[in-house]
Amino acid sequence: MPRSTNRVALAGSERKPLRGAREAGLPAQDERVQVSIIVRPKKSYGTLESTGVLSAVRPEKRQYLSREEFEKEYGADPGDVKKIEAFAHEYNLTIVQESLARRTVVVSGTIAQLSEAFGAKLSSFEHEGRTFRGRSGSLYVPEELGEIIQGVFGLDNRRQARPRYRCQRKQSGRYIALEAEGGYEPNQVAALYSFPADTDGSGQCIGIIEFGGGYTASDLQTYFSQIGVPEPSVTAVSVDGVQNQPSPGTDSPDTEVDLDIELAGGVAPGASIVVYFSDFTEQGWVDAISTAVHDSVHNPSAISISWGYPEGYDTWTSQAMQAVNQSLEEAATMGITVCVASGDDGSSDGEDDGLAHVDFPASSPYVLGCGGTSLTSSSGAITSEVVWNDGSSGGATGGGVSDVFPLPSWQSQANVPPSVNPGNYVGRGVPDVASDADPNTGYQVLSDGQSYVVGGTSAAAPLWAGLVARINQALGKPVGYLNPLIYPSAVSSDAAFHDITSGNNDINDVGGYSAGKGWDACTGWGSPDGSGLLAALQGGSSAKLAKPGRKRRSRRGPQAV
């Protein structure tokens, strides 16, 4: 078959150079690489609104699509996939994997073959002690495939993920997990937050996304024995060949992996846990999330993501943000709640450009963005809870206003403030909820044989995923896409959340956001009262939910710092 000579730039594929990276020659042209090609859905996602899932304000009124139904209605068209196969064969690429549900075709080839197939100019780069394969500019595909292909991932393998955990101390600019002193056990925090009684997540599956590192069975067995909680079933799933591979050492990603498993399992030991290991690249993000969402073997009803990267097209390509966001939208229609850490670097999200940023995918309108608090207690009761902010040396909860995603309809009455950035755009407000994340009031974690006290919004995401699993168990069906449910006043009451009214998240003088009555861009609605939230979701009115002696909360929005 003759090769097409008419080519078009692939929409959204433009890649910008990584700031501070140094070009270091060309990659080996005979190196073999796998690339993931995302294909358009057979039906426009605009029709998803007709399912009622994205707008229904009561769980019992929701009719979710099964994974099989979703594939039939919105998966890739087999005819489109055949055209991708023909294109791959033109360039002597090998078909490695195909999934109609995930709308993904994985091909492999040499750097030379792939560069020619997609019009990519690849170079080797060095950045912060790492070498990666990178590109700049757009990718190009045959004109007849321009509308069919929505994304191509794997040519550029720069690092695209940061874990969202913090430990008690910082040495030489790095966060070091020290010997545990104090710290909560997960089940203790579940009690402080009144997780629903007589539930443990039985019958539910919690998916956890990880980018590197691993866990050992011996660590998990020891940990759950020490805290007196039944050890949950934990299964590892490899994505793009990345395995559960513990790597002990300073600042190891194992700490993130163990924190996520131990938090989720500690508060919902009856749930099974599936850990999806992927690479920390755009390809890794796209493939890991779509794999978890469409996993018809384990069927997770809640997914926890404790990783992120600053939002924006100078950090992500628009094709990557679209692919990830579409997978999260797919999760919403299938009754899967996705809980995502909002970041640990305050309103700057760790960027040094003098602007405020929110973390993606926490800024997706289809996820439950999870912020962080500092929690103190005495005799089994909360005595104080404020915004987590330890300053630039210790971190602070991420939160703010999206520059990419518009204000969702369900957030229109939450008084989301204008962004503190020039232009003062009013977009999607982050986070939606919060829970304890201060490493100084953090959690006992066992990783690589050592006990640590760990915090960060990495702890908030699995904690909320565990709560969702217990709520699902009590409801007898998945609560699914939580955001449209928690913003109406009947649910966002003082009985469902502990309103956080003190603190802010400005740590680098870029401008930040302050806590206040009602929703705010530091802690969302606040930390959970699990039993109250369950009662609200079961249909209790705001009048019935109001606690004695407590007034209905004000709707006054937060103010910029």
Side-chain angles (χ1 to χ4, degrees):
M1 178 182 295
R3 296 181 180 180
S4 171
T5 57
N6 295 323
R7 291 192 155 242
V8 295
L10 182 61
S13 66
E14 183 179 0
R15 193 61 152 146
K16 295 184 178 181
L18 180 63
R19 283 183 297 163
R22 184 181 69 85
E23 191 167 353
L26 296 176
Q29 297 300 291
D30 59 353
E31 178 187 356
R32 292 195 68 84
V33 174
Q34 288 191 3
V35 168
S36 299
I37 303 172
I38 307 301
V39 182
R40 67 184 177 186
K42 65 178 66 172
K43 186 185 294 186
S44 169
Y45 277 19
T47 61
L48 287 174
E49 292 288 347
S50 65
T51 65
V53 170
L54 305 188
S55 57
V57 295
R58 295 255 67 90
E60 68 273 11
K61 294 185 180 296
R62 291 180 163 181
Q63 295 297 320
Y64 301 114
L65 295 176
S66 69
R67 286 176 170 84
E68 294 73 22
E69 290 170 335
F70 191 95
E71 177 180 347
K72 182 178 179 180
E73 292 292 320
Y74 298 100
D77 188 314
D80 286 347
V81 172
K82 291 293 184 184
K83 293 177 182 178
I84 300 298
E85 291 174 348
F87 164 70
H89 293 149
E90 285 183 45
Y91 289 88
N92 298 312
L93 306 178
T94 301
I95 305 295
V96 177
Q97 184 185 40
E98 294 177 350
S99 171
L100 295 179
R102 294 175 53 222
R103 299 184 288 108
T104 301
V105 178
V106 180
V107 301
S108 71
T110 65
I111 291 291
Q113 291 169 333
L114 290 165
S115 296
E116 184 182 11
F118 295 105
K121 297 180 180 179
L122 300 174
S123 297
S124 294
F125 293 88
E126 295 178 353
H127 183 255
E128 296 181 349
R130 295 186 178 92
T131 300
F132 70 91
R133 184 178 61 250
R135 65 177 180 85
S136 60
S138 298
L139 299 176
Y140 293 84
V141 297
E143 187 175 20
E144 60 270 21
L145 298 181
E147 296 295 324
I148 293 175
I149 296 177
Q150 291 193 332
V152 176
F153 305 98
L155 294 167
D156 186 309
N157 67 351
R158 72 186 70 180
R159 191 180 182 100
Q160 192 78 23
R162 295 174 184 165
R164 297 310 186 188
Y165 75 90
R166 292 291 174 96
C167 298
Q168 283 180 319
R169 300 288 186 271
K170 188 175 183 180
Q171 295 177 355
S172 301
R174 307 181 76 182
Y175 286 90
I176 310 297
L178 298 182
E179 199 70 25
E181 296 179 4
Y184 291 108
E185 295 176 359
N187 44 334
Q188 292 174 329
V189 175
L192 290 172
Y193 287 150
S194 302
F195 279 25
D198 301 320
T199 64
D200 62 0
S202 292
Q204 305 299 311
C205 175
I206 300 172
I208 297 176
I209 306 293
E210 301 291 0
F211 298 100
Y215 64 88
T216 64
S218 59
D219 273 349
L220 299 184
Q221 183 179 25
T222 300
Y223 179 80
F224 288 106
S225 175
Q226 287 177 345
I227 68 172
V229 170
E231 182 181 358
S233 168
V234 181
T235 303
V237 171
S238 172
V239 179
D240 296 338
V242 179
Q243 305 288 333
N244 171 29
Q245 189 170 358
S247 53
T250 300
D251 219 15
S252 168
D254 294 357
T255 305
E256 177 65 74
V257 176
D258 286 310
L259 169 68
D260 293 343
I261 296 172
E262 292 166 6
L263 260 289
V267 300
S272 61
I273 295 175
V274 179
V275 188
Y276 301 87
F277 286 97
S278 191
D279 201 9
F280 43 67
T281 62
E282 281 197 336
Q283 181 183 29
W285 274 104
V286 171
D287 290 348
I289 294 178
S290 67
T291 296
V293 168
H294 292 282
D295 185 350
S296 58
V297 174
H298 302 99
N299 297 307
S301 60
I303 294 175
S304 173
I305 304 175
S306 291
W307 300 70
Y309 212 63
E311 177 190 85
Y313 298 135
D314 58 343
T315 49
W316 299 81
T317 59
S318 59
Q319 64 172 359
M321 294 191 75
Q322 173 182 271
V324 169
N325 197 53
Q326 283 184 337
S327 289
L328 298 170
E329 185 176 7
E330 293 162 11
T333 66
M334 292 185 282
I336 305 166
T337 308
V338 183
C339 306
V340 185
S342 69
D344 296 348
D345 295 288
S347 58
S348 73
D349 204 29
E351 294 292 274
D352 59 2
D353 58 4
L355 298 174
H357 297 270
V358 291
D359 219 42
F360 181 76
S363 64
S364 166
Y366 301 108
V367 308
L368 188 73
C370 301
T373 69
S374 180
L375 175 73
T376 56
S377 66
S378 178
S379 302
I382 297 172
T383 56
S384 172
E385 191 165 22
V386 299
V387 174
W388 166 45
N389 188 340
D390 289 336
S392 58
S393 64
T397 183
V401 179
S402 173
D403 288 324
V404 175
F405 297 102
L407 186 72
S409 59
W410 39 261
Q411 210 173 36
S412 61
Q413 301 300 311
N415 290 330
V416 175
S419 169
V420 297
N421 289 333
N424 305 123
Y425 180 65
V426 180
R428 156 54 162 149
V430 184
D432 302 295
V433 296
S435 60
D436 182 35
D438 185 344
N440 296 306
T441 65
Y443 301 83
Q444 295 180 13
V445 170
L446 181 68
S447 184
D448 298 326
Q450 285 200 305
S451 294
Y452 311 127
V453 174
V454 184
T457 55
S458 280
L463 187 86
W464 269 94
L467 174 57
V468 167
R470 291 174 64 159
I471 287 175
N472 288 348
Q473 178 190 2
L475 291 175
K477 67 175 294 183
V479 68
Y481 184 32
L482 255 177
N483 296 18
L485 302 179
I486 65 173
Y487 277 82
S489 60
V491 176
S492 54
S493 73
D494 284 337
F497 296 96
H498 303 284
D499 197 3
I500 311 302
T501 60
S502 178
N504 66 73
N505 70 347
D506 184 13
I507 59 175
N508 293 313
D509 296 324
V510 301
Y513 303 87
S514 292
K517 289 287 187 179
W519 183 91
D520 60 63
C522 295
T523 59
W525 289 115
S527 62
D529 182 315
S531 296
L533 180 57
L534 172 61
L537 294 170
Q538 287 173 325
S541 69
S542 57
K544 292 179 181 178
L545 285 173
K547 293 180 178 178
R550 300 183 72 173
K551 297 180 180 179
R552 288 289 305 280
R553 66 175 58 179
S554 165
R555 289 288 177 180
R556 181 175 60 85
Q559 303 296 315
V561 174

